[in-house]
Amino acid sequence: MATVSVVNMEGKEVGTIDLSDAIFGVEINEHLVHLAVVQQLANKRQGTQKAKTRSEVSGGGRKPWRQKGTGHARQGSIRAPQWKGGGIVFAPVPRDYSFKLNKKEKRAALKSALTSKVQDQKLIVIDELKLDEIKTRKFAEVLKNIKADKALVVLNEKDENVILSARNIPDTKTALTNTINVYDVMNAGTVVLTKAAVATIEEVYA
């Protein structure tokens, strides 16, 4: 069971917390982590690219010249792919790139991602994260105090003051315990969890 320090918003250590091995101490499955990241990126793709094949471009309804006797190579249409303005060979068409992972695979991948952050000492637990007002500068000071760069801040409950204060800070993202995903965890330089968020994650994903 991993034990990590708990810090406050000033960056001072105020205690320790034992992290559950069922979530933060599993055997890392790199293949599942890779699959989960690929799936999330694939599911974001619009798949709306389109080009016309020779059957879809306008014109080219007759042979440009007779079959024999001209000295030219035989041609059936001026919209064949080798002609300027012709159709595209194997043209891209709208498609759905998404694919599915089952729940067990998703959970195992998330556990592996969180475990890797613990092992790399890139996971910070903060006792609470409260702001009296929406102020980007104040939130930036908190991140500086706890030495969190390119942070993913995971909250237990929606807090507009925190979420809106973090919105304009480059490379900083906020998430709730029910919206965290493997891509965001792996893409973050540091994962910041509130104590309440740790308790919820251990309860939900155990």
Side-chain angles (χ1 to χ4, degrees):
M1 183 174 288
T3 302
V4 297
S5 300
V6 178
V7 297
N8 58 19
M9 290 171 58
E10 285 74 43
K12 296 177 182 177
E13 185 175 336
V14 293
T16 59
I17 187 171
D18 292 329
L19 300 177
S20 171
D21 284 342
I23 307 294
F24 299 96
V26 301
E27 183 179 346
I28 296 175
N29 189 325
E30 292 182 4
H31 176 64
L32 278 183
V33 172
H34 172 74
L35 272 182
V37 170
V38 170
Q39 185 222 18
Q40 188 170 341
L41 294 178
N43 291 357
K44 283 183 176 182
R45 294 184 69 173
Q46 284 188 321
T48 54
Q49 70 273 41
K50 176 74 173 75
K52 292 183 178 181
T53 64
R54 63 182 296 172
S55 67
E56 295 170 314
V57 291
S58 62
R62 64 177 178 84
K63 283 173 71 69
W65 49 75
R66 67 180 191 269
Q67 181 84 345
K68 293 177 177 294
T70 63
H72 291 297
R74 56 192 174 188
Q75 300 291 337
S77 170
I78 61 170
R79 292 295 179 255
Q82 72 271 21
W83 285 72
K84 179 182 177 183
I88 304 297
V89 182
F90 306 129
V93 294
R95 55 168 287 195
D96 181 10
Y97 288 92
S98 65
F99 63 95
K100 292 185 177 181
L101 291 179
N102 63 45
K103 285 185 179 180
K104 284 187 177 180
E105 289 175 322
K106 285 183 178 179
R107 287 196 172 195
L110 182 59
K111 291 176 183 179
S112 292
L114 291 171
T115 298
S116 72
K117 290 300 180 184
V118 174
Q119 292 181 358
D120 294 339
Q121 297 183 343
K122 293 294 184 180
L123 187 139
I124 297 172
V125 178
I126 190 168
D127 58 348
E128 64 173 357
L129 197 52
K130 294 288 184 182
L131 296 177
D132 298 330
E133 57 181 337
I134 299 169
K135 209 72 175 176
T136 299
R137 178 168 51 81
K138 287 187 177 181
F139 192 81
E141 287 177 2
V142 172
L143 294 180
K144 184 177 180 181
N145 292 339
I146 64 177
K147 298 177 181 177
D149 58 319
K150 199 180 180 184
L152 171 65
V153 181
V154 182
L155 307 171
N156 189 47
E157 295 178 348
K158 189 173 183 179
D159 187 326
E160 291 288 347
N161 287 356
V162 174
I163 294 171
L164 295 179
S165 296
R167 186 169 58 177
N168 285 336
I169 301 177
D171 296 327
T172 298
K173 192 169 186 176
T174 57
L176 299 177
T177 51
N178 61 345
T179 63
I180 56 173
N181 57 75
V182 176
Y183 176 78
D184 286 342
V185 172
M186 297 305 296
N187 192 48
T190 309
V191 175
V192 180
L193 298 168
T194 62
K195 281 185 69 175
V198 171
T200 300
I201 289 172
E202 290 183 345
E203 179 182 349
V204 172
Y205 293 99

